[in-house]
């Protein structure tokens, strides 16, 4: 399982490569062991079922006896592997060692019992007549199988407790280091502590990334993804906001900026712990209760039960449910940005639904006293009529929210207000700041309102959570951008204040991009095409069975998808040219940074050829494996660059670590995307991978250029 929510912090790459805290190794740690336990369980269940379902009257041919014996031996071998994994977990966790070891002993005994009872290879020989086997003691096999599955389950539960405790310990370490970062007063001390913080965030990223991938509940998975997204973006913000405070200690807006980042990270860290421990704080709102689409779905289910049970609920309850549902449509009708046509149509459909419910209730009451065929048919007709009206209301609400979001995305495409804020900042223009801060606040409120409307029509709980995350992000980031712009305006010559504003603006732009993806997913769900239409070039068409995918004919994408991928591929191709130009500047072509950079550039070029239907990569699986290796090369380059940074002075070192801090999370994100299963969404997965690769190549070009300049500077200083 892949593992990073993103920003690894300064020094993150080194932690991945091997400087993990004692007792924690990502390549052979608890997650790998626990996963091995789970993978062992499946063949055990299959093999045990085969034994228990074996028919006593089956002809005992040599072939049958050998097959039974092989199954028994396979179970025993699988148990042996399981026990080794369990014992390894026990040795690393003394508080649970006794419980895990007892479960492992039970499993081992059960495995040996099954092996002995299935040792029937010599059954057809006279001397085996007195032997106790599956044929003479089938209940013994069933008893051993139950004991085995019970012990396996016990170890899985204990291992899960270990993982949760490990995540909590990791969170506590991050919080402790954050407290030190909040109080730091010297630049040099900040660099040292932030480097430690980066390593701890990498550890936390791996643990929570594995946990997110293991979650079966899609709602929890979405909540975890949202919390980790906050941590990803805030880590970079924390770096620049803290540096700005150190450079301008008396600036109130700089401190406000920094405090906002720390507060949001702490909330996100707590949210992760709530998810993994399943401890819901008191007073937390149930998101599903405020979604109109969820309300419509539940209301329709209630009226449809009247077909089977006329006394299922009271007319008062049904009326109150519809009224509460229609009350939520006021979010649309009261919204200042809703068009007059949409508002009128929503009000019309709401009135129609109320009227049809009254008609339904009238027929329903008649049906309770007169059980005739005509009344039953009339009731059915009324159920269909109100269902149709509610479906029409759903369409209108979706159309309203989707249109508002699409219009906003077009409006924000050029980021005019952000660019104006940056300009007023470097000019020290306080009047301009006030004007554009007001405009950004208006945009923020409009985006927040739109996200709220999208949440009502999202269609699934995970998408509702993503909408809520977007709403909160725009709300917080908008305020932080204004504070960062104020700091720059008060200190227009400050490079760090400018960098800080850039980072917050990038976070805003990134969330706008995420909103575009979110809108597309909501539309896909509404139109019922989610997970069905994606395919590209040599990407194999999804199959319902396990046929060799490479033998399948490529599925053609539509023209819009093809144009998008071609455009992304071209950008990657151009970036490889830029990277090659930077590499050619280096005199030492065997330098590790150059070697890894060259490897990444070559691999990115192969990706570019793939988007043209050319080159060595033929299928989506080829591409995904290729990009996993590409991400590994990126981590190696980051590690080499970090080693080089140790030779530099504080200012230069921090400058380089900032760039490393941008590359490392992208590498982890690409690994996560590559290893995440997107069943029947091949095009979407490829699209995400290429987009992430493009971002990595852009950082690579910057990193190669910066390393070259810093190396030249270091050589000049050493030669004096």
């Amino acid at each position: 399982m892949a593992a990073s929510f993103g920003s690894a912090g300064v020094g993150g790459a080194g932690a991945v490569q091997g400087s993990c805290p004692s007792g924690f190794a990502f390549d052979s740690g608890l997650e790998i062991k626990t996963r091995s336990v789970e993978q062992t369980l499946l063949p055990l269940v299959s093999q045990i079922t085969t034994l228990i379902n074996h028919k006593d009257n089956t002809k005992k041919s040599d072939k049958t006896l050998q097959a039974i014996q092989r199954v028994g031996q396979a179970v025993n071998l699988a148990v042996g592997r399981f026990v080794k994994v369990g014992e390894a977990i026990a040795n690393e966790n003394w508080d649970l060692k006794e419980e895990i070891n007892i479960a492992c002993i039970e499993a081992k005994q059960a495995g040996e019992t099954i092996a002995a009872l299935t040792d029937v290879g010599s059954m057809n020989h006279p001397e085996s007549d007195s032997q106790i086997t599956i044929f003479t003691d089938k209940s013994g096999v069933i008893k051993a199988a139950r004991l085995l599955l019970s012990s396996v389950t016990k170890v899985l539960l204990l291992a899960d407790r270990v993982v949760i405790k490990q995540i909590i310990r990791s969170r506590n370490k991050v919080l402790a280091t954050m407290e030190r970062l909040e109080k730091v007063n010297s630049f040099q001390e900040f660099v040292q502590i932030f480097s430690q913080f980066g390593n701890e965030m990498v550890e936390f990223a791996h643990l929570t990334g594995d946990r997110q991938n293991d979650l079966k509940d899609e709602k929890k998975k979405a909540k975890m993804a949202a919390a980790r997204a906050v941590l990803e973006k805030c880590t970079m913000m924390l770096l620049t906001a803290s540096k700005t405070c150190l450079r301008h200690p008396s600036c109130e807006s700089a401190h406000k900026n920094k405090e906002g980042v720390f507060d949001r990270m702490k909330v996100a860290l707590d949210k992760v712990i709530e998810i993994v421990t399943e401890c819901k704080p008191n007073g937390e709102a149930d998101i599903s209760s405020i979604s109109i689409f969820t309300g419509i779905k539940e209301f329709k289910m209630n009226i449809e039960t009247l077909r089977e049970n006329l006394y299922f609920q009271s007319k008062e309850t049904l009326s109150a449910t519809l009224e509460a549902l229609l009350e939520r449509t006021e979010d649309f009708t009261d919204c200042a940005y809703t068009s007059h046509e949409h508002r009128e149509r929503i009000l019309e459909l709401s009135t129609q639904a109320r009227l049809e419910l009254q008609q339904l209730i009238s027929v329903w009451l008649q049906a309770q006293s007169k059980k005739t065929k005509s009344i039953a048919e009339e009731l059915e007709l009324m159920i269909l009529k109100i269902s149709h009206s509610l479906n029409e209301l759903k369409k209108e609400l979706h159309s309203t929210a989707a249109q508002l979001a699409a219009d906003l995305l077009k409006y924000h495409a050029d980021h005019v207000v952000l660019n104006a804020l940056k300009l007023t900042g470097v000019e020290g223009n306080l009047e301009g700041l006030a004007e554009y801060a007001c405009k950004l606040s208006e945009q923020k409120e409009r985006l927040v309102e739109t996200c709220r409307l999208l949440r009502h029509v999202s269609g699934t709980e995970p998408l509702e959570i993503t909408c809520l995350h977007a709403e909160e992000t725009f709300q917080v980031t908008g305020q932080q951008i204004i504070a960062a712009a104020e700091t720059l305006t008060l200190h227009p010559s400050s490079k760090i204040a400018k960098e800080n504003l850039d980072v917050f603006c990038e976070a805003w732009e990134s969330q706008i991009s995420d909103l575009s993806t979110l809108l597309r997913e909501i539309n896909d769900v509404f139109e019922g095409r989610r997970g069905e239409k994606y395919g590209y070039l040599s990407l194999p068409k999804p199959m319902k069975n396990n046929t060799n995918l490479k033998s399948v004919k490529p599925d053609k994408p539509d023209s819009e998808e093809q144009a998008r991928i071609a455009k992304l591929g071209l950008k990657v191709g151009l970036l490889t040219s830029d990277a090659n130009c930077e590499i050619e500047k280096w005199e030492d072509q065997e330098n590790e940074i150059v070697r890894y950079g060259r490897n990444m550039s070559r691999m990115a070029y192969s990706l570019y050829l793939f988007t043209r239907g050319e080159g060595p990569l033929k299928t989506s699986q080829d591409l995904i494996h290729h990009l996993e290796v590409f991400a590994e090369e990126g981590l190696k380059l980051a590690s080499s660059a970090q080693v080089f940074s140790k030779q530099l002075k504080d200012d230069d070192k921090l400058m380089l670590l900032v760039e490393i801090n941008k590359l490392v999370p992208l590498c982890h994100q690409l690994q996560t995307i590559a290893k995440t299963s997107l069943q029947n969404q091949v095009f979407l997965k490829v699209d995400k991978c290429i987009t992430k690769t493009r971002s990595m190549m852009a950082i690579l070009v910057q990193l190669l250029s910066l390393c070259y300049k810093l190396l030249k500077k270091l050589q000049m200083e050493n030669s004096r």
Side-chain angles (χ1 to χ4, degrees), residues 542-561:
M543 298 291 288
K544 292 184 178 178
N545 51 38
N546 294 326
T547 307
N548 184 351
L549 293 180
K550 291 192 179 184
S551 66
V552 184
K553 261 190 157 183
D555 188 25
K556 287 284 183 183
D558 61 35
S559 56
E560 183 184 341
E561 292 167 349

Side-chain angles (χ1 to χ4, degrees), residues 65-90:
L65 296 174
Q66 287 169 10
I68 292 171
Q69 189 166 14
R70 279 199 304 273
V71 171
Q73 289 170 348
V75 169
N76 199 26
L77 285 171
V79 170
R81 291 192 295 271
F82 165 80
V83 167
K84 284 183 180 178
V85 171
E87 288 172 346
I89 295 173

Side-chain angles (χ1 to χ4, degrees), residues 193-439:
I193 297 174
F194 196 87
S195 183
Q196 177 190 338
F197 175 72
N199 290 336
E200 290 169 354
M201 289 297 277
V202 169
E203 176 185 328
F204 191 70
H206 275 265
L207 287 167
T208 55
D210 283 340
R211 189 69 178 180
Q212 181 179 323
N213 288 339
D214 285 342
L215 288 170
K216 302 296 185 288
D217 187 322
E218 291 299 323
K219 188 174 177 180
K220 289 180 185 174
K221 190 174 283 193
K223 286 183 177 180
M224 179 73 88
R228 295 173 81 243
V230 170
L231 293 170
E232 172 193 341
K233 290 173 183 174
C234 282
T235 302
M236 192 61 194
M237 295 177 187
L238 184 145
L239 173 62
T240 56
S242 297
K243 283 166 60 182
T244 306
C245 268
L246 289 169
R247 193 63 54 90
H248 307 290
S250 59
C251 183
E252 187 180 338
S253 57
H255 282 282
K256 181 182 176 183
N257 212 211
K258 173 185 164 184
E259 288 164 9
V261 176
F262 274 95
D263 289 346
R264 196 159 190 232
M265 287 191 78
K266 288 173 185 175
V267 170
L269 288 166
D270 288 343
K271 179 60 70 177
V272 169
I273 300 306
E274 287 171 20
I275 295 163
V276 299
T277 58
E278 298 184 342
C279 294
K280 187 176 179 179
N282 293 330
E284 182 180 304
D286 184 0
I287 293 173
S288 64
S289 67
I290 56 173
S291 162
I292 295 176
F293 271 29
T294 301
I296 288 175
K297 181 180 177 183
E298 291 174 356
F299 181 80
K300 285 170 66 179
M301 286 171 61
N302 286 341
I303 61 171
E304 283 166 7
T305 56
L306 295 176
R307 292 173 176 141
E308 308 296 329
N309 185 353
L310 293 172
Y311 305 94
F312 176 69
Q313 57 188 323
S314 67
K315 63 177 183 178
E316 290 80 14
T317 302
L318 207 57
S319 296
T321 303
L322 180 66
E323 206 52 49
L325 168 65
L326 296 179
E327 194 176 309
R328 293 175 210 151
T329 63
E330 291 175 7
D331 285 351
F332 289 79
T333 55
D334 292 350
C335 176
Y337 313 111
T338 301
S339 70
H340 177 72
E341 292 77 11
H342 281 304
R343 185 179 290 109
E344 288 299 309
R345 181 65 176 149
I346 291 167
L347 290 170
E348 179 188 330
L349 289 168
S350 298
T351 302
Q352 186 175 327
R354 287 189 181 97
L355 179 62
E356 287 174 353
L357 178 62
Q358 292 309 312
Q359 293 172 351
L360 171 66
I361 289 172
S362 176
V363 175
W364 173 23
L365 293 175
Q366 291 180 49
Q368 288 178 341
S369 57
K370 300 177 185 176
K371 294 182 171 55
T372 64
K373 185 179 179 182
S374 60
I375 288 291
E377 288 173 351
E378 194 175 347
L379 179 65
E380 177 66 20
L381 180 63
M382 293 312 306
I383 290 172
L384 293 174
K385 277 183 71 176
I386 194 168
S387 294
H388 175 73
S389 293
L390 290 173
N391 286 338
E392 288 299 306
L393 180 61
K394 277 179 68 176
K395 287 180 186 176
E396 193 62 33
L397 295 173
H398 173 267
S399 174
T400 304
Q403 185 177 321
L404 283 173
D407 291 345
L408 263 182
L409 289 168
K410 287 178 186 175
Y411 181 75
H412 283 277
D414 297 327
H415 304 292
V416 174
V417 175
L418 295 185
N419 293 332
L421 277 171
K422 292 177 186 178
L423 185 60
T424 56
V426 294
E427 291 175 348
N429 181 354
L430 287 170
E431 288 184 6
L433 170 68
E435 178 188 347
Y436 288 107
C438 184
K439 287 185 178 181

Side-chain angles (χ1 to χ4, degrees), residues 447-461:
L447 283 162
V448 167
E449 187 81 6
T450 301
C451 289
R452 192 172 297 133
L453 299 186
L454 284 174
R455 178 154 43 107
H456 276 306
V457 302
S458 54
T460 69
E461 285 189 327

Side-chain angles (χ1 to χ4, degrees), residues 155-171:
V155 173
L156 283 173
L157 293 172
L158 291 168
D160 193 61
R161 279 169 54 188
V162 172
V163 173
I164 291 170
K165 286 169 68 177
Q166 205 166 46
I167 291 173
I168 293 171
R169 280 198 300 268
S170 179
R171 188 280 306 259

Side-chain angles (χ1 to χ4, degrees), residues 494-552:
S494 172
K495 289 183 179 178
I496 180 56
K498 183 179 182 302
E499 181 190 357
N500 186 49
L501 178 57
D502 287 342
V503 167
F504 281 94
C505 288
E506 283 172 12
W508 179 276
E509 291 168 9
S510 172
Q511 192 58 53
I512 292 287
S513 176
D514 290 346
L515 180 61
S516 175
T517 303
L518 177 59
L519 176 60
R520 189 170 70 219
E521 290 180 353
I522 289 171
N523 286 337
D524 283 354
V525 169
F526 184 78
E527 293 168 19
R529 64 174 188 234
R530 190 180 189 185
E532 293 176 1
K533 71 168 191 171
Y534 299 112
Y536 177 70
L537 293 176
S538 55
L539 308 184
K541 201 169 185 177
M543 298 291 288
K544 292 184 178 178
N545 51 38
N546 294 326
T547 307
N548 184 351
L549 293 180
K550 291 192 179 184
S551 66
V552 184

